[in-house]
């Protein structure tokens, strides 16, 4: 019996997430891979990517390593997306620390119950007691594996705005989910307008912002004067992206009158973003705390340093080293924000990647000469926003409403009172083509290599299922080996196994639709 109990203990301990190997993703589908020069083409399935190489499995099962630099840009982009998907799916959504009181109470009762079994099992032999302590250790290790670790400083800086954000971390990144809209008024004061308006964006889940937790200085920094004219280069702590201070024509957006009173405007996808430092966030972010993070992972502070003075020794990227770490500062003159990327990033098509994609609702507008936006209001209950603008001293009104069915209705009213209405449907989030006026975008439901794999069960559930299954099997084996004479011990072991399995089912919750 002692040898039998020791085996059970080892099985249970090894079944907990503290000992389990995270595994790698093995894509079952073959895809065509091309080199950067177009000299070779092979069919193989993706196995894993490590450092600067990718492992592929050929038709005959042979595994080969290929340098990422040798693959075509499309293949490298595909691999980066797979990396992101795998990383995100292996992480729980939401805060790391469990906030479910049911799980906590059930775990407590389970541990107390197992300890209570120690007394009768002690009388039946010290070896059997090892089973109880193994179960307790396994349960505790599962719980600890599911509990969060120390909260990274970067995450703490976003937490003042967490009622509007979705925050989570892993060992390497802080993931920030948001709808891209701030709490403050928008659009008022813009004198150079392209007829775009702020709409909520799907910056959540796998399309969330990603901030490196361990930023590294780059050997070749990238200047925002000559590059990074597409996409965001930083993320404000309220979840609103920050773009290059220069527009895609190389003009200073602030001096060109393109920004509202808070330093923001909307892009061609009706996506709101800043182009200068959002220093108005400092009050809520807290004195001395960053107001944003560049996409290389280094923080962006306000106008003053820890002494309360404006730094005068900033480098060309608007930053400097402090206490062994690099940080950017905001300035009242160009570049206003981080003047590029002092840290390591990946750039494709003049844009930092990966970063979230916006979801355009309607065709991009054109510049409206002479227009000045004078008012913008939002009625959250009616899901309606109203924008007013003047052209040559005459007031025009644009009102748009979320119809809660995937469509938005836009109504324009000219100075004479004449109205015109258009309804648009947001394009399919997975589709690549725009929907247009009240027409849904095409669906792409065909399975393939790029389909997102289904999310797996949480670590605690896996650990409890493994422990419960191993314990139940051990109880049955003991029952058969003793020919029914060890019924008491077998029953206890089976009860423990069933309890652990029930715990796993409780954590899993009711099945989805």
């Amino acid at each position: 019996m002692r040898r039998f109990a020791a085996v059970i203990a080892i099985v249970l301990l090894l079944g907990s997430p503290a000992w389990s190997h995270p595994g790698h993703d093995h894509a079952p589908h073959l895809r065509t891979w091309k080199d950067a020069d177009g000299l070779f083409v092979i069919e193989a399935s993706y196995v894993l990517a490590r450092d600067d190489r990718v492992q592929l499995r050929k038709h005959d099962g042979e595994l080969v390593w290929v340098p990422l630099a040798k693959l075509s840009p499309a293949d490298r982009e595909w691999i980066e997306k797979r990396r992101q998907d795998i990383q995100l799916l292996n992480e729980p959504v939401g805060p790391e620390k469990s906030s479910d009181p049911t799980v906590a109470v059930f775990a407590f009762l389970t541990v107390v119950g197992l300890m209570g079994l120690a007394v009768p099992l002690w009388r039946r032999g010290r070896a059997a007691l090892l089973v109880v302590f193994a179960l307790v250790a396994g349960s505790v290790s599962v719980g600890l594996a599911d509990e969060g670790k120390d909260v990274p400083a970067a995450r703490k800086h976003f937490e003042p705005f967490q009622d509007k954000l979705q925050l989570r971390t892993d060992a390497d990144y802080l993931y920030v989910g948001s709808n891209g809209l701030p709490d403050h008024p928008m659009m008022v004061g813009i004198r150079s307008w392209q007829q775009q308006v702020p709409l909520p964006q799907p910056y959540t889940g796998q399309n969330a912002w990603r901030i490196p937790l361990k930023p590294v200085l780059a050997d070749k920094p990238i200047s925002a004067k000559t590059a990074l004219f597409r996409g965001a280069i930083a993320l404000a702590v309220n979840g609103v992206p920050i773009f290059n201070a220069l527009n895609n024509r190389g003009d200073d957006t602030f001096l060109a009158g393109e920004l509202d009173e808070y330093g923001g405007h909307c892009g061609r996808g009706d996506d709101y973003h800043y182009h200068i430092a959002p220093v108005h966030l400092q009050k809520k972010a807290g004195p001395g705390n960053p107001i944003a993070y560049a996409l290389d992972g280094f923080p962006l502070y306000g106008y003053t340093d820890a002494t309360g003075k404006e730094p005068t020794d900033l480098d060309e990227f608007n930053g400097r080293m402090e206490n062994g770490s690099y940080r950017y500062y905001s300035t009242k003159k160009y570049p206003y924000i981080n003047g590029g990327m002092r840290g390591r990033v990946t750039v494709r098509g003049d844009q930092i990647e990966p970063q979230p994609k916006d979801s355009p609702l309607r065709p991009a507008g054109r510049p409206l000469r002479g227009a000045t936006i004078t008012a913008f209001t939002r009625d959250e209950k009616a899901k309606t926003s109203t924008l007013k603008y003047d052209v040559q001293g005459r007031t025009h009104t644009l009102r748009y409403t979320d119809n809660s069915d995937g469509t938005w209705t836009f109504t324009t009213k000219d100075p004479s009172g004449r109205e015109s209405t258009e309804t648009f449907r947001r394009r399919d989030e997975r589709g690549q083509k725009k929907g247009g006026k009240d027409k849904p975008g095409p669906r792409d439901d065909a399975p393939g290599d790029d389909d997102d794999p289904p999310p797996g069960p949480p670590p605690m559930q896996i650990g409890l299922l493994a422990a419960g299954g191993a314990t139940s099997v051990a109880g049955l084996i003991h029952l058969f080996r003793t020919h029914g004479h060890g019924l008491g011990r077998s029953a206890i072991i089976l009860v423990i196994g069933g309890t652990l399995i029930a715990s796993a089912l409780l954590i899993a919750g009711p099945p989805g639709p």
Side-chain angles (χ1 to χ4, degrees):
M1 178 63 185
R2 295 184 181 184
R3 186 176 301 173
F4 163 71
V7 171
I8 296 178
I10 294 173
V11 170
L12 293 175
L13 286 172
L14 291 178
S16 71
W19 291 87
S20 62
H21 187 277
H24 299 288
D25 179 77
H26 295 272
H29 302 290
L30 292 174
R31 69 187 305 274
T32 301
W33 303 83
K34 300 179 182 180
D35 74 327
D37 299 323
L39 298 178
F40 75 86
V41 176
I42 64 170
E43 284 194 347
S45 61
Y46 170 81
V47 179
L48 63 92
R50 181 180 298 160
D51 298 327
D52 295 323
R53 300 186 302 163
V54 59
Q55 189 179 62
L56 305 176
R57 188 187 303 275
K58 299 169 67 176
H59 278 289
D60 57 4
E62 179 186 1
L63 294 174
V64 294
W65 286 96
V66 180
L68 282 172
K70 296 291 186 182
L71 293 175
S72 67
D75 287 339
R76 292 198 298 268
E77 184 175 353
W78 186 93
I79 291 170
E80 183 60 35
K81 183 178 183 299
R82 288 291 292 177
R83 274 177 163 172
Q84 279 186 277
D85 292 347
I86 294 166
Q87 190 175 48
L88 290 173
L89 290 169
N90 284 334
E91 292 297 323
V93 175
E96 290 85 348
K97 293 191 176 182
S98 173
S99 58
D100 187 352
T102 304
V103 175
V105 171
F106 193 87
F108 173 76
L109 294 176
T110 300
V111 172
V112 171
L114 291 173
M115 294 301 292
L117 290 174
V119 175
L121 287 178
W122 178 273
R123 297 173 182 173
R124 295 175 179 268
R126 294 177 180 268
L129 185 62
L130 182 60
V131 176
V132 175
F133 285 114
L135 287 169
V136 173
S139 298
V140 171
S141 67
V142 168
L144 291 177
D146 197 53
E147 286 293 318
K149 298 180 181 179
D150 293 337
V151 178
R155 173 169 177 157
K156 292 180 180 179
H157 296 146
F158 283 85
E159 287 182 345
F161 302 87
Q162 64 182 351
D163 59 326
K164 296 292 183 69
L165 304 177
Q166 300 167 15
L167 304 175
R168 58 190 178 83
T169 58
D170 59 21
D172 300 310
Y173 297 98
L174 164 66
Y175 300 93
V176 182
S178 76
N179 66 2
L181 296 179
D183 288 333
H184 61 71
M186 296 174 284
M187 307 301 288
V188 176
I190 292 177
R191 294 178 287 106
S192 179
W193 184 44
Q194 293 188 335
Q195 304 188 66
Q196 307 296 151
V197 297
L199 292 176
Q201 299 295 329
Y203 301 146
T204 58
Q206 295 183 16
N207 197 42
W209 296 96
R210 190 175 80 166
I211 307 297
L213 294 176
K214 303 170 186 176
V216 178
L217 291 174
D219 295 331
K220 296 181 179 179
I222 304 172
S223 173
K225 291 182 179 180
T226 57
L228 306 177
F229 295 113
R230 297 183 64 247
I233 62 173
L235 182 68
V237 290
N238 64 348
V240 176
I242 303 175
F243 282 39
N244 193 328
L246 305 179
N247 60 26
N248 53 17
R249 301 183 303 277
D251 298 330
D252 186 317
T253 55
F254 175 70
L255 298 179
E258 297 180 5
L259 307 181
D260 62 21
E261 297 168 341
Y262 291 84
H265 71 181
C266 296
R268 295 169 63 83
D270 285 325
D271 53 304
Y272 187 83
H273 53 262
Y274 302 119
H275 278 270
I276 61 175
V279 292
H280 58 276
L281 300 177
Q282 191 72 74
K283 182 177 181 180
K284 189 171 182 178
N289 288 329
I291 58 173
Y293 272 79
L295 296 191
D296 59 9
F298 290 114
L300 170 65
Y301 285 79
Y303 292 141
T304 59
D305 59 17
T307 66
K309 298 181 180 179
E310 295 184 14
T312 58
D313 58 344
L314 301 179
D315 61 21
E316 63 177 307
F317 299 96
N318 242 26
R320 69 182 184 185
M321 295 294 297
E322 287 187 23
N323 301 320
S325 180
Y326 189 83
R327 60 177 60 179
Y328 300 103
Y329 277 95
S330 305
T331 52
K332 298 174 183 178
K333 296 182 179 180
Y334 180 84
Y336 308 107
I337 49 176
N338 50 303
M341 290 291 108
R342 188 64 186 83
R344 292 180 184 174
V345 292
T346 299
V347 177
R348 298 192 188 95
D350 203 32
Q351 176 173 293
I352 298 171
E353 294 287 1
Q355 69 172 274
K357 311 299 181 186
D358 59 19
S359 182
L361 173 71
R362 59 199 182 112
R366 296 180 178 181
L368 185 58
R369 294 185 180 277
T372 298
I373 297 177
T374 58
F376 182 86
T377 58
R378 286 188 291 179
D379 185 337
E380 300 291 350
K381 186 175 181 180
K383 298 183 179 181
T384 297
S385 297
T386 302
L387 181 148
K388 294 185 177 181
Y389 61 96
D390 287 351
V391 178
Q392 297 180 349
R394 306 184 69 188
T395 300
H396 300 248
T397 302
L398 170 61
R399 186 176 64 253
Y400 56 100
T401 301
D402 178 1
N403 299 317
S404 301
D405 61 356
T407 65
W408 291 71
T409 298
F410 285 69
T411 301
T412 58
K413 182 179 180 181
D414 64 21
S416 67
R418 185 176 54 188
E419 294 187 351
S420 62
T421 299
E422 290 182 300
T423 298
F424 298 89
R425 182 180 297 273
R426 190 181 293 277
R427 70 178 183 179
D428 187 278
E429 291 183 2
R430 290 190 44 156
Q432 299 300 313
K433 297 183 179 180
K434 296 179 181 178
K437 299 180 182 179
D438 201 21
K439 295 180 181 179
R443 293 182 57 84
D444 181 10
D445 295 328
D449 295 345
D450 295 335
D451 282 356
D452 298 328
M460 180 177 286
Q461 184 187 357
I462 296 174
L464 290 175
L465 282 173
T471 306
S472 300
V473 171
L476 291 173
I477 293 175
H478 180 258
L479 180 64
F480 285 115
R481 284 188 174 179
T482 58
H483 303 289
H485 296 295
L487 181 61
R489 292 184 180 179
S490 299
I492 291 174
I493 295 174
L494 287 171
V495 168
I496 294 173
T499 300
L500 291 172
I501 293 176
S503 303
L505 296 177
L506 177 64
I507 293 173

